[in-house]
Amino acid sequence: MGRLDGKVALITGGARGQGAEEGRLFAAEGARVVLTDVRDEEGEAAARRIGEAAIYLHHDVRDEDEWEGVVQRVVDRHGRVDVLVNNAGIYRRRDLLDLPLAEYMQIIEINQVGVFLGLKVVARAMRDGGGGAIVNISSTAGMRGAAGAIAYGASKWAVRGMTKAAARELGPLGIRVNSIHPGPIDTEMLVDGGIADRRAELAAAAPLRRIGEAADVARLALFLASDESAHCTGAEFVIDGGSLA
């Protein structure tokens, strides 16, 4: 316990799934947590479940002004931002030949532009506060091709690249930046992506013979947010039950 004592953590996409579990675990380890999302009812419920250590803020990660506003509110309330988890993202499965540009751009704007804006805006606050840790949630689709998910894959490869570039730029400012690359995780995203009925198939394809859980990713994010990973930056952490082995 206490691995994040005194730290302030901002977690996007915090209303449910991985983001909500990260918020719960971070608070249990001593952090003051700010969950953000566009799913206000679910986000407020997630913060209430955590208790006094958490608040919820509405936040569209595609909007730079909203990023500026959220970060300012966090700084006004807590004095600084020590940890950012760029968790917000969407998954849609559609074949390349049938993918409308508008749907491609929606995925890019949330999954990729949202991470860029988080890096840019939060890093300024971290610089002024003396440093911090940024955890970008990518995917195994950012490590290899993903048929039927070209937009999602493009966005997650971009997150991988931005992580490395930001780590080089921000390291001298005391800011660490790492990426997590989950395989299939048993959250609402499987339903949103239309692959919830493939759980057994996905589990059978992994050497560990199961798909991941939100808690698996949250525990890895906790390590990267904490001082235990003080010499890790620009690195990729795969959590997929061995599927890429």
Side-chain angles (χ1 to χ4, degrees):
M1 302 294 289
R3 294 163 71 187
L4 295 180
D5 273 352
K7 294 188 184 294
V8 178
L10 171 59
I11 302 172
T12 68
R16 60 182 191 166
Q18 290 176 195
E21 181 62 20
E22 287 155 2
R24 186 201 64 77
L25 181 59
F26 284 21
E29 292 288 347
R32 287 165 289 176
V33 172
V34 180
L35 304 176
T36 78
D37 212 302
V38 295
R39 300 174 179 269
D40 295 337
E41 186 173 333
E42 292 174 272
E44 289 166 1
R48 284 195 302 271
R49 286 194 298 273
I50 293 171
E52 293 183 358
I55 63 170
Y56 169 78
L57 299 175
H58 178 88
H59 180 200
D60 183 342
V61 297
R62 300 171 295 182
D63 188 313
E64 186 166 6
D65 289 339
E66 288 202 21
W67 269 107
E68 296 281 2
V70 163
V71 171
Q72 188 59 56
R73 289 177 68 180
V74 176
V75 171
D76 289 346
R77 183 182 182 96
H78 295 300
R80 64 190 188 279
V81 183
D82 301 300
V83 176
L84 167 66
V85 182
N86 270 317
N87 173 78
I90 62 172
Y91 173 77
R92 300 288 183 270
R93 184 174 178 82
R94 193 187 292 267
D95 290 342
L96 167 62
L97 301 185
D98 299 322
L99 178 64
L101 177 59
E103 185 173 315
Y104 177 91
M105 291 306 301
Q106 180 190 34
I107 294 168
I108 295 297
E109 287 171 0
I110 295 172
N111 295 7
Q112 178 179 336
V113 175
V115 170
F116 160 71
L117 291 174
L119 287 165
K120 176 183 175 182
V121 177
V122 176
R124 290 171 179 162
M126 288 181 171
R127 174 195 61 194
D128 296 341
I134 297 175
V135 182
N136 294 327
I137 306 299
S138 180
S139 169
T140 52
M143 308 287 286
R144 66 177 178 187
I150 192 167
Y152 183 77
S155 70
K156 294 304 186 178
W157 278 86
V159 169
R160 181 185 180 192
M162 287 191 293
T163 297
K164 293 183 178 298
R168 288 190 169 274
E169 286 195 38
L170 301 178
L173 303 177
I175 302 170
R176 300 184 295 106
V177 189
N178 293 288
S179 59
I180 293 178
H181 297 258
I185 304 296
D186 197 1
T187 67
E188 295 88 346
M189 186 173 281
L190 291 186
V191 179
D192 295 344
I195 57 174
D197 59 349
R198 295 180 56 206
R199 285 185 176 91
E201 173 191 343
L202 295 169
L208 293 184
R209 295 297 187 266
R210 71 173 177 91
I211 61 176
E213 299 175 357
D216 295 319
V217 181
R219 286 189 288 266
L220 181 52
L222 170 64
F223 167 72
L224 294 174
S226 76
D227 294 338
E228 296 167 13
S229 58
H231 203 52
C232 298
T233 197
E236 303 160 348
F237 293 81
V238 176
I239 181 164
D240 69 346
S243 295
L244 293 187

